[in-house]
Amino acid sequence: MVLGMPEGSKEEAKESLAGRAKGGLLFMGGFVILLYVIEILNTLMRHGLNSTFGLRPRSTDGVLDILTFPLLHANLNHLLSNTLPLIIFGFLVFLAGLRVFITALAFSWLGSGLTVWLIGGGGVTVGASGLVFGFFAFLLVRGFFNRNWWQILLSVVLFMAYGSILFGVLPTVLGYISWQAHLGGAVGGVIAAILLRPKPALTQVSRS
Protein backbone atom coordinates (compact mmCIF):
# COMPACT_ATOMS: atom_id res chain seq x y z
CA MET A 1 0.00 0.00 0.00
CA VAL A 2 1.44 3.40 -0.99
CA LEU A 3 1.31 6.00 1.75
CA GLY A 4 0.01 9.42 0.78
CA MET A 5 -3.15 10.93 -0.58
CA PRO A 6 -5.93 8.40 -1.26
CA GLU A 7 -6.66 7.77 -4.92
CA GLY A 8 -10.13 9.30 -4.59
CA SER A 9 -8.69 12.47 -3.10
CA LYS A 10 -6.11 12.70 -5.88
CA GLU A 11 -8.81 12.42 -8.53
CA GLU A 12 -10.91 15.05 -6.77
CA ALA A 13 -7.90 17.37 -6.57
CA LYS A 14 -7.20 16.92 -10.29
CA GLU A 15 -10.84 17.57 -11.16
CA SER A 16 -10.88 20.63 -8.90
CA LEU A 17 -7.74 22.06 -10.52
CA ALA A 18 -9.09 21.30 -13.98
CA GLY A 19 -12.34 23.03 -13.09
CA ARG A 20 -10.52 26.12 -11.83
CA ALA A 21 -8.33 26.16 -14.95
CA LYS A 22 -11.41 25.98 -17.18
CA GLY A 23 -13.13 28.66 -15.14
CA GLY A 24 -10.05 30.89 -15.30
CA LEU A 25 -9.81 30.61 -19.08
CA LEU A 26 -13.51 31.30 -19.53
CA PHE A 27 -13.56 34.25 -17.15
CA MET A 28 -10.38 35.93 -18.39
CA GLY A 29 -11.28 35.20 -22.00
CA GLY A 30 -14.73 36.71 -21.51
CA PHE A 31 -13.31 39.72 -19.68
CA VAL A 32 -10.79 40.44 -22.43
CA ILE A 33 -13.48 40.05 -25.11
CA LEU A 34 -15.55 42.58 -23.17
CA LEU A 35 -12.60 45.00 -23.18
CA TYR A 36 -12.27 44.67 -26.96
CA VAL A 37 -16.00 45.20 -27.49
CA ILE A 38 -15.83 48.34 -25.38
CA GLU A 39 -12.74 49.52 -27.27
CA ILE A 40 -14.48 49.03 -30.63
CA LEU A 41 -17.48 51.04 -29.44
CA ASN A 42 -15.14 53.64 -27.94
CA THR A 43 -13.24 53.94 -31.22
CA LEU A 44 -16.48 54.43 -33.17
CA MET A 45 -17.31 57.22 -30.72
CA ARG A 46 -13.85 58.76 -31.19
CA HIS A 47 -12.99 57.65 -27.64
CA GLY A 48 -15.68 59.85 -26.19
CA LEU A 49 -16.27 57.29 -23.44
CA ASN A 50 -12.87 58.14 -21.96
CA SER A 51 -13.86 61.69 -21.15
CA THR A 52 -17.10 60.48 -19.51
CA PHE A 53 -16.01 57.33 -17.67
CA GLY A 54 -12.23 57.78 -17.38
CA LEU A 55 -10.84 58.52 -13.93
CA ARG A 56 -10.44 62.21 -13.07
CA PRO A 57 -8.22 62.72 -9.99
CA ARG A 58 -9.66 64.53 -6.97
CA SER A 59 -12.96 65.12 -8.71
CA THR A 60 -16.14 64.43 -6.77
CA ASP A 61 -17.71 62.89 -9.85
CA GLY A 62 -14.48 60.97 -10.44
CA VAL A 63 -15.07 58.69 -7.46
CA LEU A 64 -17.54 56.63 -9.50
CA ASP A 65 -15.03 56.48 -12.36
CA ILE A 66 -12.95 54.14 -10.18
CA LEU A 67 -15.44 51.46 -11.18
CA THR A 68 -15.14 52.06 -14.92
CA PHE A 69 -11.67 53.35 -15.86
CA PRO A 70 -9.95 49.91 -16.16
CA LEU A 71 -12.53 48.95 -18.80
CA LEU A 72 -11.41 51.75 -21.14
CA HIS A 73 -8.19 52.30 -23.09
CA ALA A 74 -6.53 55.15 -24.94
CA ASN A 75 -6.39 53.19 -28.20
CA LEU A 76 -6.14 49.66 -29.57
CA ASN A 77 -2.36 49.47 -29.04
CA HIS A 78 -2.88 50.36 -25.39
CA LEU A 79 -5.32 47.47 -25.01
CA LEU A 80 -3.06 45.08 -26.92
CA SER A 81 -0.17 45.82 -24.56
CA ASN A 82 -2.32 44.86 -21.56
CA THR A 83 -4.02 41.80 -23.06
CA LEU A 84 -1.40 39.03 -22.71
CA PRO A 85 -0.16 39.82 -19.18
CA LEU A 86 -3.75 40.33 -18.02
CA ILE A 87 -4.77 36.89 -19.30
CA ILE A 88 -1.66 35.14 -17.94
CA PHE A 89 -1.65 36.70 -14.48
CA GLY A 90 -5.43 36.59 -14.10
CA PHE A 91 -5.52 32.93 -15.08
CA LEU A 92 -2.76 32.03 -12.60
CA VAL A 93 -4.57 33.83 -9.78
CA PHE A 94 -7.85 32.10 -10.71
CA LEU A 95 -6.15 28.71 -10.24
CA ALA A 96 -6.14 29.44 -6.50
CA GLY A 97 -9.93 29.57 -6.48
CA LEU A 98 -12.77 31.98 -7.16
CA ARG A 99 -12.68 33.60 -3.70
CA VAL A 100 -8.96 34.28 -4.01
CA PHE A 101 -9.39 35.67 -7.52
CA ILE A 102 -12.27 37.99 -6.58
CA THR A 103 -10.31 39.28 -3.57
CA ALA A 104 -7.16 39.94 -5.63
CA LEU A 105 -9.21 41.56 -8.40
CA ALA A 106 -11.16 43.79 -6.03
CA PHE A 107 -8.13 45.06 -4.13
CA SER A 108 -6.11 45.59 -7.32
CA TRP A 109 -9.01 47.47 -8.92
CA LEU A 110 -9.78 49.64 -5.90
CA GLY A 111 -6.12 50.17 -4.98
CA SER A 112 -5.31 51.35 -8.47
CA GLY A 113 -8.34 53.63 -8.68
CA LEU A 114 -8.02 55.18 -5.24
CA THR A 115 -4.32 55.91 -5.75
CA VAL A 116 -4.98 57.64 -9.07
CA TRP A 117 -7.87 59.60 -7.56
CA LEU A 118 -5.75 60.75 -4.62
CA ILE A 119 -2.36 61.51 -6.21
CA GLY A 120 -2.92 61.22 -9.96
CA GLY A 121 -1.71 63.92 -12.30
CA GLY A 122 -3.85 66.05 -14.55
CA GLY A 123 -6.06 64.67 -17.26
CA VAL A 124 -8.03 61.43 -17.46
CA THR A 125 -6.64 57.98 -16.63
CA VAL A 126 -7.84 54.82 -18.40
CA GLY A 127 -6.55 51.27 -18.77
CA ALA A 128 -6.36 47.86 -17.10
CA SER A 129 -2.63 48.00 -16.34
CA GLY A 130 -3.40 48.55 -12.65
CA LEU A 131 -5.05 45.11 -12.62
CA VAL A 132 -1.98 43.63 -14.33
CA PHE A 133 0.29 45.06 -11.63
CA GLY A 134 -2.09 43.92 -8.90
CA PHE A 135 -2.22 40.31 -10.11
CA PHE A 136 1.54 40.31 -10.66
CA ALA A 137 2.30 41.59 -7.16
CA PHE A 138 -0.18 39.12 -5.65
CA LEU A 139 1.50 36.19 -7.39
CA LEU A 140 4.97 37.37 -6.37
CA VAL A 141 4.28 37.43 -2.64
CA ARG A 142 1.65 34.68 -2.30
CA GLY A 143 4.12 31.79 -2.43
CA PHE A 144 6.19 33.19 0.41
CA PHE A 145 3.15 33.65 2.64
CA ASN A 146 1.92 30.12 1.84
CA ARG A 147 5.42 28.62 2.18
CA ASN A 148 4.64 26.69 -0.97
CA TRP A 149 7.76 25.83 -3.01
CA TRP A 150 5.79 25.50 -6.24
CA GLN A 151 4.29 28.95 -5.78
CA ILE A 152 7.69 30.39 -4.81
CA LEU A 153 9.21 28.90 -7.97
CA LEU A 154 6.38 30.40 -10.00
CA SER A 155 7.04 33.77 -8.36
CA VAL A 156 10.72 33.57 -9.29
CA VAL A 157 9.89 32.66 -12.89
CA LEU A 158 7.39 35.50 -13.10
CA PHE A 159 9.92 37.94 -11.67
CA MET A 160 12.56 36.84 -14.18
CA ALA A 161 10.12 37.11 -17.08
CA TYR A 162 8.16 40.20 -16.10
CA GLY A 163 10.09 41.78 -13.23
CA SER A 164 11.01 44.76 -15.38
CA ILE A 165 7.40 45.95 -15.31
CA LEU A 166 7.87 46.75 -11.62
CA PHE A 167 9.69 49.89 -12.76
CA GLY A 168 6.25 51.05 -13.82
CA VAL A 169 5.39 51.82 -10.18
CA LEU A 170 8.07 54.53 -10.09
CA PRO A 171 7.31 58.16 -10.94
CA THR A 172 8.00 58.92 -14.58
CA VAL A 173 8.36 62.04 -16.66
CA LEU A 174 6.16 60.47 -19.34
CA GLY A 175 2.79 62.06 -18.74
CA TYR A 176 0.86 59.41 -20.66
CA ILE A 177 1.94 56.61 -18.26
CA SER A 178 0.05 56.48 -14.97
CA TRP A 179 2.60 55.15 -12.50
CA GLN A 180 0.02 55.92 -9.81
CA ALA A 181 -2.33 53.31 -11.26
CA HIS A 182 0.51 50.78 -11.39
CA LEU A 183 1.62 51.51 -7.82
CA GLY A 184 -1.90 51.38 -6.43
CA GLY A 185 -2.68 48.13 -8.20
CA ALA A 186 0.53 46.52 -6.91
CA VAL A 187 -0.19 47.66 -3.34
CA GLY A 188 -3.72 46.28 -3.63
CA GLY A 189 -2.35 42.94 -4.82
CA VAL A 190 0.05 42.76 -1.86
CA ILE A 191 -2.76 43.62 0.58
CA ALA A 192 -4.90 40.86 -0.92
CA ALA A 193 -2.04 38.37 -0.50
CA ILE A 194 -1.63 39.43 3.13
CA LEU A 195 -5.33 39.06 3.89
CA LEU A 196 -5.43 35.63 2.23
CA ARG A 197 -2.28 34.29 3.88
CA PRO A 198 -2.71 31.06 5.88
CA LYS A 199 -3.60 31.62 9.50
CA PRO A 200 -1.11 30.15 12.01
CA ALA A 201 -2.32 26.91 13.55
CA LEU A 202 -3.37 27.16 17.17
CA THR A 203 -1.29 25.07 19.53
CA GLN A 204 -3.43 22.81 21.63
CA VAL A 205 -2.59 22.98 25.34
CA SER A 206 -3.39 19.98 27.52
CA ARG A 207 -4.00 20.37 31.21
CA SER A 208 -3.07 17.72 33.74
Side-chain angles (χ1 to χ4, degrees), residues 107-108 111-112 115 130 133-134 137 169 181-194:
F107 276 90
S108 300
S112 178
T115 303
F133 275 77
V169 304
H182 300 169
L183 175 61
V187 171
V190 171
I191 292 175
I194 293 173

Side-chain angles (χ1 to χ4, degrees), residues 3-86:
L3 296 178
M5 183 182 296
E7 289 299 324
S9 300
K10 289 182 180 180
E11 292 299 325
E12 291 176 2
K14 289 180 181 179
E15 291 178 2
S16 178
L17 180 60
R20 291 196 298 268
K22 181 179 179 180
L25 288 174
L26 290 175
F27 186 94
M28 294 310 303
F31 183 67
V32 168
I33 290 174
L34 173 63
L35 294 183
Y36 276 91
V37 170
I38 292 175
E39 177 57 26
I40 291 172
L41 294 175
N42 205 8
T43 300
L44 294 175
M45 298 174 65
R46 298 183 179 180
H47 287 91
L49 293 177
N50 290 356
S51 59
T52 303
F53 298 104
L55 182 50
R56 293 155 289 172
R58 295 170 298 281
S59 166
T60 303
D61 296 336
V63 174
L64 294 178
D65 298 330
I66 291 175
L67 302 177
T68 56
F69 85 101
L71 302 175
L72 303 167
H73 288 80
N75 49 52
L76 182 59
N77 287 334
H78 184 201
L79 176 54
L80 287 171
S81 68
N82 283 332
T83 297
L84 186 59
L86 185 61

Side-chain angles (χ1 to χ4, degrees), residues 75-201:
N75 49 52
L76 182 59
N77 287 334
H78 184 201
L79 176 54
L80 287 171
S81 68
N82 283 332
T83 297
L84 186 59
L86 185 61
I87 291 175
I88 293 174
F89 298 151
F91 171 75
L92 291 174
V93 174
F94 204 102
L95 288 180
L98 181 60
R99 182 179 69 89
V100 171
F101 176 82
I102 294 298
T103 303
L105 175 64
F107 276 90
S108 300
W109 196 307
L110 292 177
S112 178
L114 288 173
T115 303
V116 172
W117 191 86
L118 290 171
I119 64 173
V124 175
T125 298
V126 294
S129 56
L131 305 183
V132 172
F133 275 77
F135 287 149
F136 181 61
F138 176 84
L139 290 168
L140 278 180
V141 301
R142 180 188 60 165
F144 294 95
F145 282 130
N146 291 347
R147 296 182 181 180
N148 184 304
W149 287 108
W150 183 88
Q151 293 177 357
I152 291 175
L153 177 61
L154 175 61
S155 299
V156 172
V157 172
L158 287 174
F159 184 79
M160 292 175 63
Y162 292 97
S164 61
I165 73 171
L166 290 176
F167 288 108
V169 304
L170 301 176
T172 174
V173 296
L174 300 177
Y176 59 86
I177 296 178
S178 177
W179 62 268
Q180 297 93 338
H182 300 169
L183 175 61
V187 171
V190 171
I191 292 175
I194 293 173
L195 293 176
L196 293 171
R197 72 189 187 279
K199 300 298 187 292

